[in-house]
Amino acid sequence: MRTIQLTEDSKKNILDNLLKRSPNNYGEFTERVDAILDDVKTRGDKAVFEYTKRFDGAEIDASGIAVTEEEIKEAYEIIGQSGLLEIIRKAIANIREYHEKQRQFSWFDSKPDGSILGQKITPIEKVGVYVPGGKAAYPSSVLMNIIPAKVAGVDKIIMTTPPNKEGKVNPGTLVAACEAGADVIYKVGGAQAIGALAYGTESIPKVDKIVGPGNIYVALAKKAVYGYVSIDSIAGPSEILVLADETANPRYVAADLLSQAEHDEMASAILVTTSKELARQVSAQVNEFVETLSRKEILTKSLENYGYILLTETMDEAIAVANEIASEHLEIVTKDPFHTMTKIRNAGAIFLGEYSSEPLGDYFAGPNHVLPTNGTAKFFSALSVDDFIKKSSIISFSREALEPIHEDIIKFAVSEQLTAHANSIQVRFEK
């Protein structure tokens, strides 16, 4: 990993380099994605089947696009032999318990004058969950997208995921979906899956919101259909930033940086530290680990492109750059991580102390691992129960409650030259 003494110029160059990873900077794919979406919107199932054949090599038709009970049973048999089923169930318990604390409830505030104000919480009716199936299968992402929707009370959860060439879905993905509570699973991936969920086809119903990560085609498709449906966010490549001082264990830090760098060549892994000695040791340990880990080629390219060790003079300077980068995952490994955490404004998820490694959050702790990337933690949050509800304002006034304020409302409306607004109030007090 390259080690850089942080200056204003080097910080700007690094931030500019990191932003190149954003899906918003891949306009050359937009035309292709738009063509697929238009085709699905026009031809429905027929287009979906053709794209599935072209991109996934699988022959799918209306009779086989939905995962069957027999396929689910087969998946359970495979996963049951691996011992993964019990682990999935333990993770589900933790994730559900955490998200249940996020639930919101309708409220009403009545006053003696006869006015009632409130907020009505309503779950979204139909949600589409997209699950990738390319270089690797991620049952953990299935849990993180479906469980908060179930906790929120979503009526119908429709999952799509690309099949392999035999028309099969990864058994871990299937079992995770069934355990978490998916209502139906369709064998379709890519931009065509997003189009099917957004517009509806003969086989796949239109949903109200689409959540879940995917490749650049999926990200751009979600961006394009926003407005027809709601979406969670435009997910970019994974990233981790470790904020550390001289007390950090270099072996732990190196291992945690690589835990995200192995996702793909676009992943980012950054150490920000005040300690030159820690920087030296982490760099050496990273090189040692890379030689022994299975995804060596991906790790090497990721670190060459977006791996940094940034040296700062003070911890306040280190914290400032961490807030500027606004990383998806932020680990704080300092003498007093809780105190350091109080100065953090921007991060998707914050891990405190040397035993709170990032994979703990990916799989088991309970908080959601669907997080804002590419600096969007400055204004976005982790996926939560809030993403699967709607809030409707409630207003009820009696004549007695409206009468003292009705002239104020009329004057306000007239000042905006909206005389029909004013009249709507005035007619209620005509003599």
Side-chain angles (χ1 to χ4, degrees):
M1 294 179 71
R2 79 204 89 172
T3 301
I4 299 173
Q5 184 69 45
L6 196 68
T7 64
E8 282 303 314
D9 286 342
S10 63
K11 181 172 74 171
K12 183 180 186 306
N13 290 338
I14 290 165
L15 291 172
D16 288 345
N17 191 41
L18 292 174
L19 287 173
K20 292 176 184 176
R21 301 155 59 250
S22 170
N24 292 321
N25 291 327
Y26 287 83
E28 68 266 26
F29 297 102
T30 302
E31 192 172 323
R32 255 179 284 174
V33 168
D34 288 346
I36 293 171
L37 293 175
D38 288 343
D39 199 14
V40 171
K41 188 177 183 181
T42 303
R43 297 195 298 132
D45 271 359
K46 190 173 181 181
V48 169
F49 302 151
E50 289 176 7
Y51 288 121
T52 302
K53 173 64 176 174
R54 185 194 305 179
F55 298 131
D56 300 308
E59 294 278 3
I60 298 291
D61 58 24
S63 65
I65 192 171
V67 170
T68 64
E69 289 293 331
E70 290 75 17
E71 289 173 308
I72 292 171
K73 183 180 178 182
E74 180 184 352
Y76 267 90
E77 289 172 355
I78 295 170
I79 295 303
Q81 294 169 6
S82 70
L84 185 60
L85 180 56
E86 288 307 311
I87 296 172
I88 287 174
R89 287 174 175 169
K90 289 178 183 177
I92 285 173
N94 294 340
I95 297 165
R96 182 181 293 118
E97 181 181 8
Y98 180 87
H99 286 83
E100 281 176 346
K101 292 179 172 64
Q102 298 176 338
R103 291 182 65 193
Q104 295 191 48
F105 300 93
S106 300
W107 58 267
F108 301 91
D109 182 18
S110 59
K111 295 182 179 179
D113 63 5
S115 63
I116 300 174
L117 300 177
Q119 183 172 265
K120 184 177 183 294
I121 303 296
T122 309
I124 293 174
E125 186 177 350
K126 286 184 288 187
V127 167
V129 174
Y130 183 86
V131 177
K135 292 181 180 179
Y138 299 108
S140 58
S141 285
V142 177
L143 305 183
M144 294 294 181
N145 281 279
I146 293 178
I147 291 172
K150 291 294 288 186
V151 170
V154 171
D155 294 357
K156 194 168 184 76
I157 299 173
I158 298 161
M159 191 178 104
T160 66
T161 189
N164 61 19
K165 291 181 180 179
E166 289 72 44
K168 298 285 187 179
V169 173
N170 177 273
T173 298
L174 278 187
V175 169
C178 292
E179 291 289 319
D183 293 295
V184 61
I185 304 163
Y186 292 104
K187 303 172 188 176
V188 55
Q192 60 271 24
I194 302 303
L197 292 169
Y199 309 130
T201 72
E202 297 88 335
S203 297
I204 300 175
K206 182 186 185 305
V207 300
D208 302 308
K209 184 165 188 171
I210 301 172
V211 301
N215 62 19
I216 187 64
Y217 294 98
V218 170
L220 290 175
K222 286 172 68 178
K223 183 178 179 182
V225 301
Y226 178 66
Y228 289 94
V229 294
S230 178
I231 62 171
D232 51 350
S233 62
I234 308 296
S238 189
E239 55 199 29
I240 184 171
L241 188 149
V242 179
L243 187 60
D245 61 17
E246 70 282 356
T247 66
N249 183 317
R251 188 170 173 84
Y252 295 173
V253 171
D256 293 355
L257 291 169
L258 294 176
S259 73
Q260 293 308 291
E262 77 169 342
H263 271 294
D264 60 57
E265 294 88 347
M266 301 287 283
S268 168
I270 300 173
L271 166 63
V272 184
T273 182
T274 53
S275 170
K276 291 182 180 178
E277 180 59 21
L278 179 70
R280 184 190 67 77
Q281 292 183 32
V282 168
S283 182
Q285 189 66 69
V286 163
N287 293 337
E288 184 178 322
F289 276 140
V290 167
E291 292 302 316
T292 64
L293 294 169
S294 62
R295 296 166 75 88
K296 178 180 177 181
E297 187 176 344
I298 292 174
L299 286 168
T300 301
K301 289 182 179 178
S302 170
L303 295 175
E304 285 176 354
N305 293 329
Y306 304 107
Y308 297 96
I309 296 176
L310 306 181
L311 282 168
T312 64
E313 294 295 333
T314 67
M315 183 51 64
D316 282 344
E317 188 182 1
I319 291 168
V321 74
N323 279 325
E324 188 68 25
I325 292 173
S327 186
E328 176 188 18
H329 306 100
L330 172 64
E331 288 189 7
I332 301 178
V333 195
T334 59
K335 189 179 299 181
D336 187 352
F338 284 88
H339 175 70
T340 305
M341 180 266 293
T342 63
K343 299 181 180 181
I344 296 297
R345 295 183 64 92
N346 306 318
I350 303 173
F351 300 78
L352 303 176
E354 64 180 9
Y355 288 99
S356 305
S357 63
E358 190 281 334
L360 172 66
D362 270 354
Y363 297 110
F364 221 74
N368 210 289
H369 78 201
V370 180
L371 302 166
T373 58
N374 283 109
T376 60
K378 292 178 179 178
F379 45 83
F380 279 140
S381 306
L383 191 73
S384 72
V385 172
D386 286 356
D387 289 287
F388 300 98
I389 61 171
K390 301 180 286 97
K391 303 172 185 178
S392 301
S393 302
I394 301 297
I395 303 168
S396 175
F397 269 54
S398 65
R399 179 183 176 85
E400 291 72 23
L402 182 61
E403 196 278 332
I405 61 172
H406 81 279
E407 290 185 359
D408 293 334
I409 300 170
I410 291 169
K411 288 179 182 177
F412 215 145
V414 170
S415 76
E416 295 185 349
Q417 299 181 350
L418 297 176
T419 54
H421 279 62
N423 186 60
S424 174
I425 298 294
Q426 184 63 58
V427 294
R428 286 165 166 79
F429 295 93
E430 290 176 334
K431 295 180 181 179

